[in-house]
Amino acid sequence: MPSDIRVRIAPSPTGPLHIGTARTALFNYLFARHTGGTFVLRLEDTDVARSTAAFEKDILDALHWLGITWDEGPGVAGLEEAGPYAPYRQMQRLGSYAEAAEALLAKDLAYRCYCTPEELEADRRAREAAKLPPAYSGRCAHLTPDERAAREAEGRRGAIRFRVRPGVVGWNDLIRDRVEIDTANLGGDFVIVRADGTPLYHFTVVVDDAAMQISHVIRGEDHVSNTPKHILLFEALGYGIPTFGHVPLILNPDGTKMSKRKSQTAVSDYIAQGFTREALVNYLAFLGWSPGTEDDLLTLDEIAQRFELDKVQKGGARFDRERLEWLNGQWIRRLDDADLVARLLPFTEAAAVAGQIDRAPSEGELTALLPIVRERLSTLASITDVAGFLWRELTPDPAALVPKRWDAATTIEGLAAAGERLAAHDAVTWEADELEPPLRRLVEARGWKAGDLFMAIRMAVTGQAATPPLFDVLVALGRERTLARLDAAVEALRSA
RNA sequence: GCCCCCAUCGUCUAGAGGCCUAGGACGCCGCCCUUUCAAGGCGGAGAUCACCGGUUCGAAUCCGGUUGGGGGUACCA
């Protein structure tokens, strides 16, 4: 399905990939794939002071990790960069901005402004004191050639300001219909090129979207009020105006725009905590969009098939981590064995390095454990909560060892008796269904409740009250370690 | 302050005038299963569709206002 639709995501490498940027990227990707259009990635690195190569790498890696692919830009097909409109990093496109700025200057659609930061600051305060909305005073809007020459002679370079024309600017937004804004509310003529010659966002975004033939600008709702500035620039530069679509924001639990202060915003943090790409993509897509059916679990490809921009919600959506965790569990349960083990390995290794466990399990060990751990994992990292006792030495805690309905003496008796029965069992038949009957008989002989004995044993061999099924745990632990932990527990209780 | 946007269970949402005494999912509460924890199954509580007017035979759905919430107001992106 060939199409002229071209969309883009334009992250700024001033921080790790933000969950909101990831979702905007996802929506653009879905729209492009659904319509057979082209998806472009462009790096907006003109904030030189805050941009870093490390953040750039984090952004590209996290996007790749999510399974979001782009057709043009840095990192396509493993290349440094690919696409007919290269380069895709703004700091390498300075020439085109300079050219566009010259064109505006030549037509007097923009002018040099020599106001100092101090003057601007004073203006801002004055307007605030007068209870007026902040706006540029226009001090340099009509300088005579002599006045200009005088300032240049002082060594002032001057920023370039775009003349905002009076009138109303409107557009038909893809998801919120008609939006109109009076340019009188734009804050006056705005700066498009800094005094040091570097271009500003509002300017570069327009020059590049035009140069890269972007047909649909799909971005966050926080850009709605910037859109008139962009439209004015498209007009002044003589470019065609793309179609705009503003998607709702992802919100903190308190309903404000999602921020690092109140939420975890870096995609890399979610990756580090053991969320799967399937769950994250599924979750993010359903934040603000829904297929209109009652499906809850959809893959990236399935979502791309069904994705429609007009089914995107207008209002912002709060980020609900509990729902994300539920989805993650759903996807973990659907992964095949080899895949799950491969994804688990980095987490057990990291836990070993961090000292949370004494040694990292082998691939074979993990595979064998899958039947009893998989439905207990809400994240990949939680593998150590579920089975960490297998790879860690235990220090018996006498107080925790005694089941609710038992006392210390009964617990000693129970654990010792259980140890004897199990010791009598030979190693070859050390299997769950072989281990259970002798202990059931023991319980019956003493008139105990199975749950009490089992809990005592569970605490003794794992150190925790919530574990996978007890007899499977004994098997995973092996005869020697089971017996040793039972002995150690009895010993700890006796000397307590 | 000014400009703009938004508004269905606690949360994410279905709903595009009669199918809605508003459906699903997360979370919550029971019950079942059960050696614990999960998973799974079943059931339940939970929304006067923010409010007030209007249009209409009929409104969650259309219009206006109010209230509430959010976003933007940079020589950041």
Side-chain angles (χ1 to χ4, degrees):
Chain A
M1 193 185 1
S3 157
D4 291 336
I5 289 178
R6 290 178 57 84
V7 295
R8 48 67 167 179
I9 182 70
S12 173
T14 52
L17 181 65
H18 189 284
I19 204 92
T21 308
R23 195 192 53 158
T24 303
L26 177 61
F27 279 13
N28 274 280
Y29 167 87
L30 294 169
F31 180 63
R33 293 295 170 261
H34 184 79
T35 57
T38 303
F39 182 38
V40 179
L41 178 99
R42 179 176 71 224
L43 260 0
E44 308 216 324
D45 53 359
T46 54
D47 184 345
V48 182
R50 296 192 297 145
S51 294
T52 72
F55 286 143
E56 182 179 314
K57 178 171 163 37
D58 179 277
I59 290 167
L60 300 189
D61 287 353
L63 246 16
H64 279 309
W65 180 86
L66 285 166
I68 295 174
T69 55
W70 48 97
D71 310 299
E72 295 175 21
V76 170
L79 299 171
E80 175 56 21
E81 177 169 87
Y85 300 95
Y88 291 88
R89 285 180 178 80
Q90 293 190 321
M91 285 309 282
Q92 292 172 17
R93 303 177 61 82
L94 295 178
S96 54
Y97 312 128
E99 203 176 303
E102 277 314 315
L104 292 180
L105 246 16
K107 284 190 272 186
D108 194 37
L109 290 168
Y111 58 88
R112 291 236 172 238
C113 167
Y114 303 92
C115 294
T116 63
E118 294 71 33
E119 289 173 314
L120 260 15
E121 177 59 16
D123 289 349
R124 195 188 62 75
R125 286 201 191 146
R127 291 192 61 99
E128 195 180 316
K131 295 202 186 300
L132 286 167
Y136 176 59
S137 65
R139 186 183 297 112
C140 300
H142 302 286
L143 258 26
T144 63
D146 284 352
E147 290 171 322
R148 237 184 353 250
R151 285 171 214 208
E152 297 274 354
E154 285 173 36
R156 295 212 229 166
R157 189 37 174 76
I160 300 175
R161 276 187 194 273
F162 177 71
R163 287 191 200 282
V164 172
R165 58 144 239 249
V168 170
V169 174
W171 72 96
N172 295 315
D173 197 280
L174 247 20
I175 83 176
R176 50 200 76 220
D177 304 320
R178 187 73 187 169
V179 182
E180 294 188 335
I181 295 176
D182 192 317
T183 64
N185 297 308
L186 261 30
D189 299 341
F190 57 92
V191 176
I192 56 176
V193 178
R194 295 183 180 91
D196 70 3
T198 56
L200 254 17
Y201 167 73
H202 294 306
F203 191 49
T204 59
V205 73
V206 168
V207 171
D208 284 341
D209 282 343
M212 296 178 181
Q213 302 287 308
I214 299 304
S215 62
H216 293 68
V217 173
I218 299 163
R219 57 190 2 173
E221 189 190 342
D222 48 346
H223 283 290
V224 168
S225 47
N226 291 331
T227 303
K229 292 182 184 173
H230 299 173
I231 290 176
L232 252 22
L233 248 9
F234 275 108
E235 281 176 4
L237 260 4
Y239 300 144
I241 297 170
T243 301
F244 294 95
H246 291 91
V247 306
L249 262 21
I250 298 182
L251 276 20
N252 290 311
D254 67 4
T256 53
K257 181 178 169 184
M258 201 185 204
S259 64
K260 206 158 100 183
R261 272 323 274 168
K262 297 173 179 172
S263 302
Q264 183 170 272
T265 56
V267 170
S268 46
D269 287 341
Y270 289 89
I271 298 174
Q273 283 169 13
F275 284 95
T276 59
R277 68 190 49 124
E278 290 84 353
L280 212 45
V281 159
N282 195 161
Y283 181 70
L284 254 20
F286 276 64
L287 256 196
W289 171 84
S290 112
T293 60
E294 286 180 355
D295 297 294
D296 295 307
L297 280 83
L298 257 31
T299 63
L300 220 209
D301 287 345
E302 289 168 335
I303 294 168
Q305 272 171 32
R306 309 186 190 198
F307 189 77
E308 299 284 354
L309 229 28
D310 54 21
K311 279 190 184 157
V312 172
Q313 210 78 18
K314 290 190 181 77
R318 294 168 206 243
F319 193 87
D320 180 359
R321 192 185 167 96
E322 299 217 60
R323 192 181 167 84
L324 206 211
E325 284 185 11
W326 172 77
L327 265 176
N328 204 41
Q330 292 295 321
W331 283 106
I332 285 176
R333 272 165 242 140
R334 283 166 174 72
L335 260 24
D336 67 54
D337 286 10
D339 192 1
L340 214 207
V341 169
R343 299 199 202 201
L344 247 18
L345 248 15
F347 287 90
T348 47
E349 273 152 24
V353 170
Q356 293 164 334
I357 51 177
D358 300 326
R359 69 174 182 86
S362 68
E363 193 178 324
E365 263 181 291
L366 276 179
T367 305
L369 237 34
L370 253 29
I372 62 169
V373 299
R374 127 178 278 151
E375 71 232 33
R376 273 165 259 264
L377 298 174
S378 61
T379 62
L380 297 169
S382 64
I383 180 67
T384 53
D385 297 329
V386 175
F389 57 84
L390 289 172
W391 314 302
R392 176 164 62 212
E393 289 309 313
L394 241 49
T395 310
D397 171 3
L401 247 17
V402 183
K404 281 192 295 266
R405 286 188 298 261
W406 278 13
D407 55 22
T410 314
T411 306
I412 291 173
E413 188 188 348
L415 290 178
E420 280 167 31
R421 303 286 172 118
L422 290 173
H425 208 88
D426 88 275
V428 197
T429 57
W430 191 262
E431 283 170 39
D433 55 357
E434 289 286 329
L435 265 19
E436 187 168 350
L439 294 185
R440 292 260 176 209
R441 284 195 292 274
L442 169 63
V443 163
E444 207 169 322
R446 305 292 173 97
W448 292 332
K449 301 204 95 176
D452 294 328
L453 205 226
F454 293 171
M455 183 51 84
I457 298 175
R458 171 177 294 110
M459 286 305 307
V461 302
T462 69
Q464 49 197 65
T467 69
L470 182 61
F471 299 98
D472 293 305
V473 164
L474 299 189
V475 171
L477 228 30
R479 187 173 185 275
E480 297 315 312
R481 286 204 292 168
T482 298
L483 264 22
R485 290 186 177 188
L486 248 19
D487 283 347
V490 169
E491 207 39 56
L493 280 168
R494 281 192 173 132
S495 52

